[in-house]
Amino acid sequence: MEGIPQHPKHTAELLQEILQRTQALPNDGAVANYIPALAEVDPEYLGIAVAELDGKVHIAGDAQMPFSIQSISKIFGLTLAMERVGDQLWNRVRMEPSGHAFNSIVQLEWEHGIPRNPFINAGAIVVADTLVSHYSASRTALTQFIRNLAQNPLIFVDEVVWESEREHGARNAALAYLMKSFNNIEANVDDVLDHYFYQCSISMSCVDLARSLSFLANRGVQPGTGEVICDPRSTRRINAMMSTSGMYDQSGEFAFTVGLPAKSGVGGGLVAVVPDYGVICAWSPKLNSFGNSYRGMFMIRQVAEELGLSVYS
Amino acid sequence: MEGIPQHPKHTAELLQEILQRTQALPNDGAVANYIPALAEVDPEYLGIAVAELDGKVHIAGDAQMPFSIQSISKIFGLTLAMERVGDQLWNRVRMEPSGHAFNSIVQLEWEHGIPRNPFINAGAIVVADTLVSHYSASRTALTQFIRNLAQNPLIFVDEVVWESEREHGARNAALAYLMKSFNNIEANVDDVLDHYFYQCSISMSCVDLARSLSFLANRGVQPGTGEVICDPRSTRRINAMMSTSGMYDQSGEFAFTVGLPAKSGVGGGLVAVVPDYGVICAWSPKLNSFGNSYRGMFMIRQVAEELGLSVYS
Amino acid sequence: MEGIPQHPKHTAELLQEILQRTQALPNDGAVANYIPALAEVDPEYLGIAVAELDGKVHIAGDAQMPFSIQSISKIFGLTLAMERVGDQLWNRVRMEPSGHAFNSIVQLEWEHGIPRNPFINAGAIVVADTLVSHYSASRTALTQFIRNLAQNPLIFVDEVVWESEREHGARNAALAYLMKSFNNIEANVDDVLDHYFYQCSISMSCVDLARSLSFLANRGVQPGTGEVICDPRSTRRINAMMSTSGMYDQSGEFAFTVGLPAKSGVGGGLVAVVPDYGVICAWSPKLNSFGNSYRGMFMIRQVAEELGLSVYS
Amino acid sequence: MEGIPQHPKHTAELLQEILQRTQALPNDGAVANYIPALAEVDPEYLGIAVAELDGKVHIAGDAQMPFSIQSISKIFGLTLAMERVGDQLWNRVRMEPSGHAFNSIVQLEWEHGIPRNPFINAGAIVVADTLVSHYSASRTALTQFIRNLAQNPLIFVDEVVWESEREHGARNAALAYLMKSFNNIEANVDDVLDHYFYQCSISMSCVDLARSLSFLANRGVQPGTGEVICDPRSTRRINAMMSTSGMYDQSGEFAFTVGLPAKSGVGGGLVAVVPDYGVICAWSPKLNSFGNSYRGMFMIRQVAEELGLSVYS
């Protein structure tokens, strides 16, 4: 990328145009149905927001409607843990793409309870364990961190989703107990899972997400407030892990076709970081077989192609 | 990255300094020993070259000594196949990181003979199959392609290495036959392996490699000659795959610590692409447990840090 | 086997001789150490008992000392569940050898939460689930079942072992939660695990075990009391599963070298069924890498060879 | 089993009755179609033979029609190799059930090229390697061995099947090359595969197979001729391995439901050894998903149940 992207029309108009192109496509895939609270979301929601580093936010569609951020919360948890725990975190979780589904337990057994990266469930549970162990009230700490990043005190946890996650959390409990058996969980497993399910249940809009993650495009400094969230080395590292592992077992394809650090959630949200430019967030509830938003990927790809945003030049 | 890197001293001096830092370290790891021809290489060789897009080449150490490029050849084979075969190549090989060792057969069976990406052995063998099938003389075509890229007609294949590869090629034969059993090899298996072993046996220097791969940093145009090697979409794709899969099962860590598209070979070579700036190539024969050059990684990381080169900003 | 084994000396003398041969060997292997209560057992214990169908019991060494029966309890749980639940049990657990370690979670994920057989941990946990679901007090029911079989009202659970199992039960919790996530656990996971850990913590002697399992050698009828424990088809089935899967991932080797249905426990106990003759039980705490008693296997093999007991003729 | 089975009617009549019961069932499953020569076999063939140790042979249906014995040949190869090579064979192949499909390559990689047992393809290829290495003309030696066992000089190899096996042998070539890469193949891979494909292509009838394998039920002595084929320890071992591994990944279920050492082939043949009584061979070309003959299994199970033949009592 050479400096600020050049484009012939205003970004807001471009987003509107892309939204219309997207609405013209068949709305393929399926809404996540492992918990009832997610399964009931209207599959027709469609929104996109772009937060630029100068503070401008462009939107189209349902960009201000809060949705369940699910795995996108892994970025917030990771950022907080990296600052709080430092490099010793990397003794307990690696930074390699997994080559397996996000909730696979196979690899975790082979690799003796050390998760491949912080964006698969097992890795995020280890991160949750560090937060539970290092904060007296880890859930509150995380909520405040996110509200501050988004400059939105109204961000909330959806209690129905949280309860539902707990009820259907057997697979994640299996991952946590397997890691415990390898001594890679320090706190009480129930407490760790409770934190993990809590952070998955946070509701945010495309605008909230694009704004709150802008420090990743700005070498650690939050554009609106000038606050230093982390050092530039940390943002490079987080962006690198999003690039190799942020889109589950479709990360390679996303790098190949789009070329931006990104993270998806099964609520249908998808954020992409454009270093030195800003953050894009798209939302559409229906997922493909990898667990990524079908129309969300389409929209982000369109923006990246139109604006020439790939980090791979 | 913001435009051309700014650095206080001349690149040549920096390389010299980094070379000295590297020589002061213990020379850890082990020379590849699966074939005698590689095992006999002097482990003290150490070289680095940086080819900038304006044509300048900076070097230090044994940067002009030819060595066995091994898996770095996968980039050349892939580029040629992408141009010749087009997008149908992606029906036969994917672009996902593998999460396994470079010569693993496990994943190939699970995934029905479709390799994870063109940089693991199985994927490169599929690419070799397409070259054998599309060219009347695929080995000659590849050699000419490389000589032209490097502007060096003296680039050659080491016949001793080639013969040695054939003699010790049982593991790669197993991969090829397994893919054949899934109908993912079209040509005769012996011919495909012969091409594959041939390309692994090409000898090039750091300077040759840095020069020849400069089109990857320059949106498909070879800087020296102005020749269009491929379109910018192809270079973005190749760089993306190098970023997620180029360093075997250490690719995530390399993205995390260095942040550049890269490819290594068991001959101890390592190339890294810096979009819009140039190509770095380092060489040191001793490998770590992932099959990557120990001191090669150290040198590239030093250059990237000193010059601030990560694509993740 | 042709009818009752013929042997030149009395069985009691033979056992004494074999005990001495065994004591002359180095006492290799290691006492199970995953819970402190087991790790503290004196590794020099060595006992053997043979219960013949006519009621005679021959012993040598520490044959009357109670020890932790651990996985041998899986036979009791299975027999009770087969009688109580009937053939629908086989919808939830298979009868195939696993080809993996006893506590592997890999295969369980591949095979969608259906364990390979009732003698690996996951399978025994499914069996425990059926007992918890079908009995108002499953632990009491099992204890009474075993006491009645052994005609020994003093058989007890070692509370220290039970508590220790619970404290170190993360791996088994992972198996249970993974099966829960595949809807193959009906009762509350904590209750199921509590039953499972309870049955593993029962203490019995070689004499107790040989006597209590005699119905397996006698087509379902308990020799001492004449009570019908199960039908002959059930004993054939249990013996078959012990033959293919009773010795963890060493079952094939045990069939090859000894040729008797057998089950081992990490407490160092080992029982072998000789159809139409009786049951042998050996005990020595040190285990080999598969989790089977080193000297226990040696003693059973000696008895089988001397008496010509293989079911494979 | 208590001595010679007692049954109310003559065995010949029983076989006739079972044949009729079988013909009344739907002929489920599918003929093996990986090679054309096998795919063309009439799926209606149905035959059974019982060879008793006193020399009587009872038959019903197409018991004298030769068919492709396929994997049943693994018993002949193994017997010959055990006699020729001795116990050092077990350094190169184990005797454990595999828990995987017969041609799986996954386990072979994990376990460093040592096959789980001689009845999966990889194990039989190792056995073939020992025969090729120890005999100047291994194919002739095997044919003579089988003709002598069956007392039938007309037993032949189907050249069309042999050629077809070679043409479609990529999967087996992959197994062989993978083992070669672990130094577990000594001879030339092509020669080993040629022997392996040859032995799979031998044609024999139910009568031939039941007669030729009678030594397995008779402690190593061939009943018709009195010739000592191997020692009793070897027959116990072969029977044990057939019991734990002879029916591919359905071996446990076969032990559970039938309880006899058995071996199947994808030609639809199935032999079962009844120690001290005789050998049963059934044939019906349609296979279930494990690669075992559907109606063959049904017939053998009927015979075993009617005559009370399980080795597990």
Side-chain angles (χ1 to χ4, degrees):
Chain A
M1 186 178 52
E2 296 173 42
I4 299 299
Q6 302 302 315
H7 42 95
K9 63 189 81 165
H10 292 301
T11 305
E13 288 168 35
L14 176 67
L15 294 186
Q16 204 58 49
E17 207 180 291
I18 288 173
L19 195 88
Q20 284 163 11
R21 271 183 234 161
T22 308
Q23 282 166 329
L25 294 176
N27 190 3
D28 284 335
V31 174
N33 60 3
Y34 71 100
I35 57 171
L38 287 183
E40 286 160 13
V41 171
D42 182 345
E44 296 309 317
Y45 278 126
L46 188 69
I48 188 162
V50 173
E52 297 181 353
L53 294 191
D54 61 6
K56 289 205 203 80
V57 178
H58 309 286
I59 67 171
D62 306 309
Q64 289 173 295
M65 176 77 70
F67 58 87
S68 191
I69 67 169
Q70 294 291 324
S71 288
I72 300 174
S73 69
K74 291 169 180 169
I75 305 175
F76 297 116
L78 175 63
T79 304
L80 204 57
M82 283 171 72
E83 291 313 289
R84 187 80 181 214
V85 180
D87 277 355
Q88 72 196 51
L89 178 63
W90 308 113
N91 298 328
R92 296 183 52 195
V93 58
R94 296 167 65 206
M95 62 288 273
E96 288 303 318
S98 76
H100 288 80
F102 58 91
N103 60 0
S104 172
I105 207 162
V106 168
Q107 205 168 39
L108 196 57
E109 184 178 36
W110 284 345
E111 302 188 350
H112 307 291
I114 306 296
R116 277 254 152 180
N117 65 66
F119 293 142
I120 54 173
N121 290 13
I125 291 168
V126 164
V127 170
D129 180 45
T130 67
L131 294 177
V132 168
S133 302
H134 282 78
Y135 283 94
S136 58
S138 65
R139 298 197 302 268
T140 306
L142 188 71
T143 309
Q144 285 171 340
F145 180 63
I146 294 172
R147 284 180 178 169
N148 181 51
L149 284 174
Q151 291 286 297
N152 179 355
L154 301 179
I155 286 169
F156 64 98
V157 158
D158 185 326
E159 297 275 348
V160 177
V161 173
W162 188 16
E163 180 56 30
S164 211
E165 295 281 355
R166 268 192 292 239
E167 271 172 32
H168 299 82
R171 164 65 70 132
N172 288 312
L175 294 170
Y177 276 106
L178 184 61
M179 292 191 288
K180 180 103 188 159
S181 77
F182 285 111
N183 297 315
N184 198 20
I185 293 293
E186 288 171 5
N188 176 283
V189 168
D190 286 339
D191 293 344
V192 173
L193 289 173
D194 217 36
H195 177 103
Y196 177 71
F197 295 141
Y198 174 92
Q199 75 176 39
C200 289
S201 307
I202 292 170
S203 286
M204 294 172 77
S205 68
C206 289
V207 170
D208 288 331
L209 281 165
R211 265 195 182 134
S212 62
L213 293 169
S214 290
F215 68 97
L216 290 175
N218 199 35
R219 298 159 196 258
V221 179
Q222 193 65 327
T225 61
E227 190 181 354
V228 174
I229 308 302
C230 57
D231 66 14
R233 198 184 64 155
S234 292
T235 59
R236 278 200 304 273
R237 288 174 161 194
I238 294 170
N239 290 338
M241 289 187 289
M242 290 171 72
S243 297
T244 56
S245 312
M247 297 293 285
Y248 305 128
D249 203 19
Q250 199 176 18
S251 300
E253 185 185 328
F254 194 83
F256 183 94
T257 53
V258 180
L260 291 174
K263 184 75 208 81
S264 61
V266 294
L270 174 51
V271 293
V273 174
V274 191
D276 304 319
Y277 168 66
V279 173
I280 315 169
C281 181
W283 175 46
S284 170
K286 284 192 168 183
L287 310 177
N288 65 18
S289 62
F290 297 99
N292 295 319
S293 171
Y294 252 115
R295 300 196 299 181
M297 284 180 71
F298 177 80
M299 287 192 291
I300 301 263
R301 182 176 177 174
Q302 294 281 312
V303 175
E305 282 183 358
E306 296 271 358
L307 301 184
L309 299 178
S310 169
V311 300
Y312 304 117
S313 189
Chain B
M1 187 179 50
E2 295 174 41
I4 299 297
Q6 301 303 315
H7 44 94
K9 62 189 82 163
H10 292 300
T11 304
E13 286 168 38
L14 176 67
L15 295 186
Q16 204 58 48
E17 206 180 292
I18 288 173
L19 194 88
Q20 282 161 12
R21 271 183 234 161
T22 309
Q23 280 166 329
L25 295 176
N27 190 3
D28 284 334
V31 173
N33 60 2
Y34 70 101
I35 56 171
L38 288 182
E40 286 161 12
V41 170
D42 182 344
E44 295 309 318
Y45 279 127
L46 186 69
I48 187 163
V50 173
E52 297 182 351
L53 294 191
D54 61 5
K56 289 204 203 77
V57 177
H58 309 286
I59 67 172
D62 306 308
Q64 289 173 295
M65 175 78 68
F67 58 87
S68 190
I69 68 169
Q70 294 291 324
S71 289
I72 301 174
S73 68
K74 290 168 180 170
I75 305 175
F76 298 116
L78 175 63
T79 305
L80 204 57
M82 283 171 72
E83 291 312 290
R84 186 82 180 213
V85 179
D87 276 356
Q88 72 195 51
L89 178 63
W90 308 113
N91 298 329
R92 295 183 53 197
V93 58
R94 296 167 65 205
M95 62 288 274
E96 288 303 320
S98 75
H100 287 81
F102 59 92
N103 59 1
S104 171
I105 207 162
V106 168
Q107 204 168 41
L108 197 56
E109 183 177 37
W110 284 346
E111 301 189 351
H112 307 291
I114 307 295
R116 277 254 152 179
N117 65 65
F119 293 142
I120 54 173
N121 289 13
I125 291 169
V126 164
V127 170
D129 180 45
T130 67
L131 295 177
V132 168
S133 302
H134 283 78
Y135 284 95
S136 58
S138 65
R139 298 198 301 268
T140 306
L142 188 71
T143 310
Q144 285 172 340
F145 179 63
I146 293 172
R147 285 180 177 168
N148 181 49
L149 285 174
Q151 292 288 297
N152 178 356
L154 300 179
I155 285 168
F156 64 97
V157 158
D158 185 326
E159 298 275 347
V160 177
V161 173
W162 188 17
E163 180 55 32
S164 211
E165 295 281 357
R166 267 191 294 238
E167 271 172 31
H168 299 82
R171 164 66 68 133
N172 287 311
L175 294 170
Y177 276 106
L178 185 60
M179 292 191 287
K180 180 104 189 157
S181 77
F182 285 111
N183 297 315
N184 199 20
I185 293 293
E186 289 171 4
N188 178 282
V189 169
D190 286 339
D191 293 345
V192 172
L193 289 172
D194 217 36
H195 177 103
Y196 176 72
F197 294 142
Y198 174 92
Q199 76 176 37
C200 288
S201 307
I202 292 170
S203 285
M204 296 173 75
S205 68
C206 291
V207 170
D208 288 331
L209 280 166
R211 264 196 183 133
S212 62
L213 292 169
S214 290
F215 68 96
L216 290 176
N218 199 35
R219 299 159 195 259
V221 179
Q222 193 65 327
T225 61
E227 190 181 354
V228 174
I229 308 301
C230 57
D231 65 14
R233 197 184 64 157
S234 292
T235 59
R236 278 200 303 274
R237 288 173 162 195
I238 294 170
N239 290 338
M241 288 186 290
M242 289 170 73
S243 297
T244 57
S245 312
M247 296 293 284
Y248 306 127
D249 202 20
Q250 199 176 17
S251 300
E253 185 185 328
F254 194 83
F256 183 93
T257 53
V258 179
L260 292 175
K263 184 77 206 79
S264 61
V266 293
L270 174 50
V271 295
V273 174
V274 190
D276 305 319
Y277 168 65
V279 173
I280 314 169
C281 180
W283 175 48
S284 170
K286 284 192 169 182
L287 310 178
N288 66 17
S289 63
F290 297 100
N292 296 318
S293 171
Y294 251 115
R295 299 197 298 180
M297 284 180 72
F298 177 80
M299 287 192 291
I300 300 263
R301 182 175 177 175
Q302 293 282 310
V303 175
E305 283 183 358
E306 296 270 357
L307 301 183
L309 298 177
S310 168
V311 301
Y312 304 117
S313 189
Chain C
M1 186 180 50
E2 297 173 39
I4 300 296
Q6 302 303 315
H7 44 94
K9 62 190 82 164
H10 293 300
T11 305
E13 287 169 37
L14 177 66
L15 295 186
Q16 204 58 47
E17 207 179 290
I18 288 172
L19 194 88
Q20 283 163 11
R21 271 183 234 161
T22 308
Q23 281 166 329
L25 296 175
N27 190 3
D28 285 335
V31 174
N33 60 3
Y34 70 101
I35 56 172
L38 287 183
E40 287 161 11
V41 170
D42 182 345
E44 295 309 318
Y45 280 126
L46 187 68
I48 187 163
V50 173
E52 297 182 352
L53 294 191
D54 61 6
K56 288 203 203 80
V57 178
H58 309 286
I59 65 172
D62 306 309
Q64 289 173 294
M65 176 77 70
F67 57 88
S68 191
I69 67 169
Q70 294 291 324
S71 288
I72 301 175
S73 68
K74 290 169 181 169
I75 306 175
F76 298 115
L78 175 62
T79 305
L80 204 57
M82 283 172 72
E83 292 312 290
R84 187 79 181 215
V85 179
D87 277 356
Q88 72 195 51
L89 178 62
W90 308 113
N91 298 328
R92 296 183 53 198
V93 58
R94 295 167 66 205
M95 62 288 275
E96 289 302 321
S98 75
H100 287 79
F102 59 92
N103 60 0
S104 171
I105 209 162
V106 169
Q107 203 169 42
L108 197 57
E109 184 177 35
W110 284 345
E111 302 190 350
H112 307 291
I114 306 296
R116 277 254 150 180
N117 66 65
F119 293 141
I120 54 173
N121 290 13
I125 290 169
V126 164
V127 169
D129 180 45
T130 67
L131 295 176
V132 168
S133 303
H134 282 79
Y135 283 95
S136 56
S138 65
R139 297 198 302 268
T140 306
L142 187 72
T143 309
Q144 285 172 339
F145 179 62
I146 293 173
R147 284 180 178 169
N148 181 50
L149 284 175
Q151 291 289 296
N152 179 357
L154 301 180
I155 286 168
F156 63 98
V157 159
D158 185 326
E159 297 275 349
V160 177
V161 173
W162 188 16
E163 181 55 31
S164 211
E165 295 282 356
R166 269 191 291 237
E167 270 172 31
H168 299 82
R171 164 66 68 131
N172 288 311
L175 294 170
Y177 277 106
L178 185 60
M179 292 191 286
K180 180 105 189 157
S181 77
F182 285 111
N183 297 315
N184 198 21
I185 294 293
E186 289 172 4
N188 177 282
V189 169
D190 286 339
D191 293 343
V192 172
L193 289 172
D194 217 36
H195 176 103
Y196 176 72
F197 294 142
Y198 174 91
Q199 76 176 38
C200 289
S201 307
I202 292 170
S203 285
M204 294 172 76
S205 68
C206 290
V207 170
D208 288 332
L209 281 166
R211 264 197 184 132
S212 63
L213 293 169
S214 290
F215 69 97
L216 290 176
N218 199 36
R219 297 157 196 262
V221 180
Q222 192 66 328
T225 61
E227 191 182 353
V228 174
I229 307 303
C230 57
D231 66 14
R233 198 184 65 156
S234 292
T235 59
R236 278 199 302 275
R237 288 173 161 194
I238 294 169
N239 290 337
M241 289 186 291
M242 290 171 72
S243 297
T244 57
S245 312
M247 297 292 286
Y248 306 127
D249 204 19
Q250 198 176 18
S251 300
E253 185 184 327
F254 194 83
F256 182 93
T257 53
V258 179
L260 292 174
K263 185 76 208 77
S264 60
V266 294
L270 173 50
V271 294
V273 174
V274 190
D276 304 319
Y277 168 67
V279 173
I280 314 169
C281 180
W283 175 47
S284 170
K286 283 192 168 181
L287 310 177
N288 66 19
S289 62
F290 297 99
N292 296 317
S293 171
Y294 251 115
R295 298 196 301 179
M297 283 180 72
F298 177 79
M299 286 193 289
I300 301 262
R301 184 176 176 174
Q302 294 281 311
V303 175
E305 282 183 359
E306 296 271 357
L307 301 183
L309 298 178
S310 169
V311 301
Y312 304 116
S313 189
Chain D
M1 185 179 51
E2 298 173 39
I4 298 297
Q6 302 302 317
H7 43 95
K9 62 189 79 163
H10 292 301
T11 305
E13 287 168 35
L14 176 67
L15 295 186
Q16 204 58 49
E17 208 180 290
I18 288 172
L19 195 88
Q20 284 163 11
R21 272 183 233 161
T22 309
Q23 281 167 328
L25 296 176
N27 190 3
D28 284 335
V31 174
N33 60 3
Y34 70 101
I35 56 170
L38 286 183
E40 286 161 10
V41 170
D42 182 345
E44 295 309 318
Y45 279 126
L46 188 69
I48 187 164
V50 174
E52 297 181 354
L53 294 191
D54 61 6
K56 289 203 203 80
V57 178
H58 309 287
I59 67 171
D62 306 310
Q64 288 173 296
M65 176 76 72
F67 59 87
S68 191
I69 68 169
Q70 294 291 326
S71 288
I72 301 174
S73 68
K74 290 169 181 170
I75 305 175
F76 297 117
L78 175 63
T79 305
L80 204 57
M82 283 171 72
E83 291 313 291
R84 187 80 179 212
V85 179
D87 277 356
Q88 72 195 52
L89 178 63
W90 309 113
N91 298 329
R92 296 182 52 196
V93 58
R94 296 167 66 205
M95 61 289 272
E96 287 305 318
S98 74
H100 287 81
F102 59 92
N103 59 0
S104 171
I105 208 161
V106 168
Q107 205 169 40
L108 197 56
E109 184 177 36
W110 284 346
E111 302 189 350
H112 306 293
I114 306 296
R116 277 254 152 182
N117 66 65
F119 293 141
I120 53 174
N121 289 13
I125 290 169
V126 164
V127 170
D129 180 43
T130 67
L131 294 177
V132 168
S133 302
H134 281 79
Y135 284 95
S136 57
S138 66
R139 298 197 303 267
T140 306
L142 188 72
T143 310
Q144 284 172 341
F145 179 62
I146 293 173
R147 284 180 178 168
N148 181 50
L149 284 174
Q151 292 286 297
N152 178 356
L154 301 179
I155 286 167
F156 63 99
V157 158
D158 186 325
E159 298 275 348
V160 177
V161 173
W162 189 16
E163 180 56 30
S164 211
E165 295 282 355
R166 268 190 292 238
E167 271 172 31
H168 299 82
R171 164 66 69 131
N172 287 311
L175 294 170
Y177 277 106
L178 184 61
M179 291 191 288
K180 180 105 189 157
S181 78
F182 285 111
N183 297 315
N184 199 19
I185 294 293
E186 288 172 4
N188 177 283
V189 169
D190 287 339
D191 293 345
V192 172
L193 289 172
D194 218 36
H195 176 102
Y196 176 71
F197 294 143
Y198 174 92
Q199 75 177 38
C200 288
S201 307
I202 292 170
S203 286
M204 294 173 76
S205 68
C206 290
V207 170
D208 288 332
L209 280 166
R211 265 198 182 131
S212 63
L213 293 169
S214 290
F215 69 97
L216 290 175
N218 199 35
R219 296 158 197 259
V221 180
Q222 193 66 326
T225 61
E227 191 181 351
V228 174
I229 307 304
C230 57
D231 66 14
R233 198 183 64 157
S234 292
T235 59
R236 278 199 302 274
R237 288 173 162 196
I238 295 170
N239 290 337
M241 288 186 291
M242 290 171 72
S243 296
T244 55
S245 312
M247 297 292 286
Y248 306 128
D249 203 20
Q250 199 176 19
S251 300
E253 185 185 328
F254 194 83
F256 183 93
T257 54
V258 179
L260 291 175
K263 184 75 209 79
S264 60
V266 294
L270 174 51
V271 294
V273 173
V274 191
D276 305 320
Y277 169 66
V279 173
I280 314 168
C281 180
W283 175 45
S284 170
K286 284 191 168 182
L287 310 178
N288 65 20
S289 62
F290 297 99
N292 295 319
S293 171
Y294 251 116
R295 299 197 299 181
M297 283 180 72
F298 177 79
M299 286 192 291
I300 300 263
R301 183 175 177 173
Q302 293 282 311
V303 174
E305 282 184 357
E306 296 271 357
L307 301 183
L309 298 179
S310 168
V311 300
Y312 304 116
S313 189

